Amino acid sequence: MSGNTSANKGKAATAAPQWYAAGLDHIWLPYAQMKTASLPLAVTATRGSRIVLADGRELIDGMASWWTACHGYNHPHIRAAIERQLAAMPHVMFGGMVHEQALTLARRLTAMLEPGGLDRVFFSESGSVAVEVALKMAVQYWCNRGIAGRSRIVAFRGGYHGDTTGAMAVSDPETGFHAAFRGLLPQHIIADMPVDDASTAALDALLAQRAEEIAAIIVEPLVQGAGGMRFHDARALRTLRTLAERYDLLLIFDEIFTGFGRTGAMFAFTEAGVVPDIVTLSKALTGGTLPLAATIAHSKVFEAFWSDDPAKALMHGPTFMANALACAAANAALDLFEREPRLDQVAKISRALAAGLESCRKLSGVTDVRVKGAVGVVELDRIENLNALRQRFIEEGVFIRPFGTIVYLTPAFTIAADDLAKLTRAVRSVLA
């Protein structure tokens, strides 16, 4: 990997297995300036909340693999379900065919979202694609009803909805990762979250002026994840539901990060007591094992596509949509939410994060400490060297990946109390 000194590279290659040295110069890592990025860790196994490195070290995982491994790594119930499905049928195309795992999963997901009318599930392979599907549903909904011109989406500053073109276009263009693509992206409407009287009035006025060109509003409920772990309360969601109804707009809740217990409820939007027209799910859906996402539409949205006219069909179809292995993993992951006390565990994690991170408020450079469910955030006025900070956490025996100006924890819900204490202790120690 160019940019790292030959001495460091040679040292890493000596300590790592042959496959690491042989393959390192042929990969392109995510969210990384390859010239200056630290060498990636060689991982050989995962279990529970532990990452096992090729050199024998174990790290406590504070990220749950980008928030996916909510039940911990290698849960035997999920692994067994995947193995059974692999023996029977790893995949079959979803065009003109269906299978038990997908239909069972769709039924279970819609049952979890009742009452409210969210009853049609479109499967895909990633959160970004789930958002793309939601946006296409929203725009075509109006076309199918014979209403022209509604092609804009209202999204919010601090928001992040994915890295594909449509998802980038509804993410914050200033704080996001996508400034280089501004000339490529469709121009949507980025507004302030309605968190007080002034911002609510501003959004109301904007919608009043431009409603006839707007198809939908999209928001990450309660926590804007990759945009900076920004929190807002349930009143903002109720405000958005009220405004969507006032101006006859669709409301999309992006629960890819927040869904499946991360904020303390199974789905974040339920804390507000409102129902979206479309919701997107991914991340923890398969317990961190296989890629899968779902875009779930309200019956009123689906009805706009129900027609004798082939042109009114939703023309989208990911090759691996409803992959049987992934759906089997997701069904097993849902079993665990039913059988094991995950939300109680989230509540305990929330209390431990609040207690363990509170003293960071006194540290130089810390501007905020906040906790919501199993999300703990320490915000700094600046982070001058992300690579160095990430390396310091590794030296403490934990895997924590700060970004922007935040250090955050999103551990597995099954993490042991002493492992969680080590994570919060490492944050305090390194930041001090």
Side-chain angles (χ1 to χ4, degrees):
M1 194 178 297
S2 17
N4 292 291
T5 68
S6 58
N8 285 343
K9 185 174 176 181
K11 182 178 179 181
T14 301
Q18 188 276 335
W19 54 260
Y20 183 90
L24 196 60
D25 283 338
H26 304 284
I27 58 165
W28 198 327
L29 295 170
Y31 304 122
Q33 171 45 261
M34 296 292 287
K35 184 174 182 179
T36 59
S38 300
L39 288 167
L41 300 170
V43 179
T44 56
T46 55
R47 54 175 178 266
S49 289
R50 301 296 182 101
I51 299 168
V52 182
L53 304 184
D55 61 10
R57 287 178 294 165
E58 288 192 12
L59 303 180
I60 300 171
D61 186 4
M63 304 288 94
S65 273
W66 270 332
W67 326 321
T68 62
C70 58
H71 305 293
Y73 293 114
N74 285 15
H75 195 290
H77 180 66
I78 300 177
R79 187 172 67 242
I82 294 171
E83 290 170 351
R84 288 192 301 270
Q85 188 61 43
L86 179 63
M89 180 181 67
H91 180 67
V92 67
M93 66 182 287
F94 215 58
M97 291 183 279
V98 296
H99 55 83
E100 180 181 2
Q101 292 292 347
L103 297 195
T104 298
L105 179 58
R107 173 182 56 77
R108 293 178 75 181
L109 289 173
T110 57
M112 293 172 74
L113 294 165
E114 285 293 337
L118 289 160
D119 59 10
R120 288 285 176 166
V121 181
F122 190 99
F123 288 115
S124 56
E125 322 95 319
S126 77
S128 294
V129 176
V131 169
E132 298 276 352
V133 172
L135 300 180
K136 290 176 70 172
M137 284 180 178
V139 172
Q140 191 175 345
Y141 169 82
W142 298 105
C143 294
N144 284 2
R145 292 180 59 197
I147 300 172
R150 290 203 168 197
S151 60
R152 304 293 185 200
I153 307 296
V154 174
F156 296 98
R157 290 184 178 86
Y160 170 86
H161 299 282
D163 293 338
T164 53
T165 303
M168 285 193 292
V170 292
S171 299
D172 187 324
E174 301 300 330
T175 62
F177 316 129
H178 308 130
F181 302 100
R182 286 179 183 167
L184 168 70
L185 302 178
Q187 296 301 301
H188 293 300
I189 302 166
I190 307 298
D192 289 324
M193 188 77 68
V195 295
D196 54 27
D197 291 345
S199 54
T200 298
L203 181 60
D204 193 352
L206 184 153
L207 297 179
Q209 181 181 15
R210 303 184 65 175
E212 292 184 358
E213 63 182 287
I214 297 170
I217 301 168
I218 187 169
V219 67
E220 300 158 90
L222 301 188
V223 183
Q224 294 177 302
M229 297 294 169
R230 305 180 184 197
F231 297 177
H232 54 269
D233 63 29
R235 288 175 296 177
L237 304 183
R238 290 192 286 270
T239 296
L240 292 177
R241 181 72 273 178
T242 297
L243 293 175
E245 292 172 1
R246 180 177 301 165
Y247 296 105
D248 194 19
L249 309 174
L250 295 181
L251 181 60
I252 303 168
F253 283 168
D254 179 352
E255 292 250 12
I256 288 163
F257 168 51
T258 57
F260 302 105
R262 180 56 65 181
T263 65
M266 186 60 73
F267 302 106
F269 76 83
T270 59
E271 188 174 314
V274 299
V275 178
D277 300 301
I278 303 171
V279 64
T280 59
L281 303 172
S282 189
K283 295 292 187 187
L285 177 56
T286 67
T289 56
L290 289 163
L292 185 67
T295 305
I296 306 178
H298 193 280
S299 56
K300 80 170 189 180
V301 176
F302 179 77
E303 286 164 8
F305 294 78
W306 183 262
S307 172
D308 293 323
D309 183 358
K312 290 189 175 181
L314 177 64
M315 299 304 290
H316 199 98
T319 301
F320 281 92
M321 72 177 293
N323 171 258
L325 286 177
C327 289
N331 278 312
L334 295 190
D335 291 343
L336 296 176
F337 279 110
E338 294 173 358
R339 299 174 187 177
E340 300 184 5
R342 289 292 178 264
L343 296 185
D344 290 342
Q345 290 169 323
V346 171
K348 291 178 181 177
I349 290 170
S350 188
R351 291 191 293 270
L353 288 173
L357 298 177
E358 179 61 26
S359 63
C360 291
R361 291 186 189 277
K362 302 174 184 177
L363 299 177
S364 175
V366 171
T367 61
D368 191 30
V369 175
R370 53 188 180 269
V371 173
K372 177 68 178 173
V375 183
V377 183
V378 178
E379 186 161 0
L380 307 172
D381 56 10
R382 67 186 183 281
I383 297 177
E384 294 182 353
N385 190 330
L386 278 171
N387 284 336
L389 186 57
R390 291 168 180 168
Q391 187 59 41
R392 281 285 292 112
F393 285 120
I394 292 168
E395 292 167 3
E396 294 286 326
V398 300
F399 186 74
I400 298 173
R401 189 175 168 85
F403 70 92
T405 58
I406 64 168
V407 176
Y408 75 97
L409 297 172
T410 51
F413 303 159
T414 54
I415 190 169
D418 55 347
D419 282 352
L420 182 57
K422 186 170 182 179
L423 287 172
T424 56
R425 190 162 57 246
V427 172
R428 294 196 306 269
S429 173
V430 170
L431 295 186

